[in-house]
């Protein structure tokens, strides 16, 4: 003899994402499915950028700048392959139900206006460096770029920042010009360096 419970069954808790989401057909078909999987647009963008970078790397003329096994094609190949890999991993995650989180952890007040002073200062510094790199060379223009960027972003260490900028600029010049074989204009310091 069996006894059955006469208590009404309560509502059951959903156990997974399949039970919490409505079927795509009920919400409007393909449009609703695409809205729920909008992160796939980022995957398409990553795939397109990766294909563009790899295509550009394959068509690059490297006869002049090639000095060893690691040449100008190496970085574009790595970046292009990385973009394709990240796009594929993101697509798999989105299709498995992964979703991006809202920007709750950001310490950004969206009601505040943009800091146009900083944006304009950085724009001026970049344009100034682009204009000065020809006549002054990379070491001087790069130092002005690094110091101006630090100033625009709020650093006010007038004794330390120019020294760090000059050291960073010289280091960058030596790495690109001597180690990677990418010729940068030396300007008036060409004979000294």
């Amino acid at each position: 003899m069996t006894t059955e419970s006469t208590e009404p069954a309560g509502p059951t808790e959903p156990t997974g994402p399949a039970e919490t989401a409505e079927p795509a057909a009920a919400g409007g078909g393909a449009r609703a499915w695409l809205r729920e999987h909008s992160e796939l647009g980022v995957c398409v963008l990553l795939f397109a950028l990766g294909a563009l970078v790899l295509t550009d790397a394959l068509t690059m003329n490297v006869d002049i700048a090639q000095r060893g096994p690691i040449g100008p094609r190496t970085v574009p190949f790595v970046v292009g392959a990385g973009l394709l890999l990240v796009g594929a991993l993101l697509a798999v995650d989105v299709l498995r139900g992964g979703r991006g989180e809202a920007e709750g952890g950001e310490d950004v007040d969206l009601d505040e206006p943009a800091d146009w002073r900083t944006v304009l200062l950085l724009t001026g510094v970049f344009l100034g460096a682009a204009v000065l790199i020809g006549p002054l060379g990379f070491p001087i223009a790069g130092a002005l770029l690094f110091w101006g960027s630090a100033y625009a972003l709020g650093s006010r260490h007038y004794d330390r920042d120019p020294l760090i900028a000059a050291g960073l600029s010289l280091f960058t010049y030596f790495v690109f010009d001597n180690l990677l074989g990418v010729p940068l204009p030396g300007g008036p310091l060409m004979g000294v360096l």
Side-chain angles (χ1 to χ4, degrees), residues 42-43 46-47 78-93:
V42 176
C43 300
L46 290 173
F47 281 128
V78 170
V79 170
L83 286 168
L84 293 177
L85 178 67
V86 169
L89 292 175
L90 180 61
V92 168
D93 182 52

Side-chain angles (χ1 to χ4, degrees), residues 60-93:
M60 184 184 299
N61 186 5
V62 295
D63 294 339
I64 297 171
Q66 185 75 34
R67 289 189 179 178
I70 298 179
R73 285 186 176 175
T74 305
V75 172
F77 276 130
V78 170
V79 170
L83 286 168
L84 293 177
L85 178 67
V86 169
L89 292 175
L90 180 61
V92 168
D93 182 52

Side-chain angles (χ1 to χ4, degrees), residues 6-189:
T6 57
E7 294 179 19
T12 60
E13 295 289 325
T15 58
E19 292 183 16
T20 58
E22 294 180 13
R31 182 174 284 182
W33 187 87
L34 286 174
R35 189 174 298 125
E36 291 174 6
H37 298 89
S38 61
E39 290 93 349
L40 290 176
V42 176
C43 300
V44 171
L45 178 66
L46 290 173
F47 281 128
L49 285 175
L52 178 67
V53 169
L54 287 176
T55 303
D56 195 33
L58 288 172
T59 59
M60 184 184 299
N61 186 5
V62 295
D63 294 339
I64 297 171
Q66 185 75 34
R67 289 189 179 178
I70 298 179
R73 285 186 176 175
T74 305
V75 172
F77 276 130
V78 170
V79 170
L83 286 168
L84 293 177
L85 178 67
V86 169
L89 292 175
L90 180 61
V92 168
D93 182 52
V94 169
L95 293 174
R96 286 184 176 174
R99 297 191 54 89
E101 294 182 21
E103 294 187 28
E106 295 274 336
D107 190 20
V108 175
D109 187 6
L110 297 176
D111 296 330
E112 288 291 319
D115 185 9
W116 288 107
R117 178 184 179 273
T118 302
V119 171
L120 292 174
L121 279 172
L122 283 173
T123 303
V125 166
F126 288 133
L127 291 176
V131 168
L132 295 175
I133 198 168
L136 296 181
F138 184 83
I140 295 173
L144 292 173
L145 171 71
F146 294 136
W147 178 76
S149 298
Y151 179 83
L153 293 172
S155 179
R156 298 298 184 261
H157 298 281
Y158 299 115
D159 54 344
R160 181 180 65 186
D161 289 346
L163 296 175
I164 293 173
L168 187 58
S169 178
L170 287 173
F171 175 75
T172 305
Y173 177 77
F174 281 123
V175 166
F176 275 86
D177 196 54
N178 296 335
L179 298 179
L180 296 178
V182 178
L184 294 175
L189 296 178

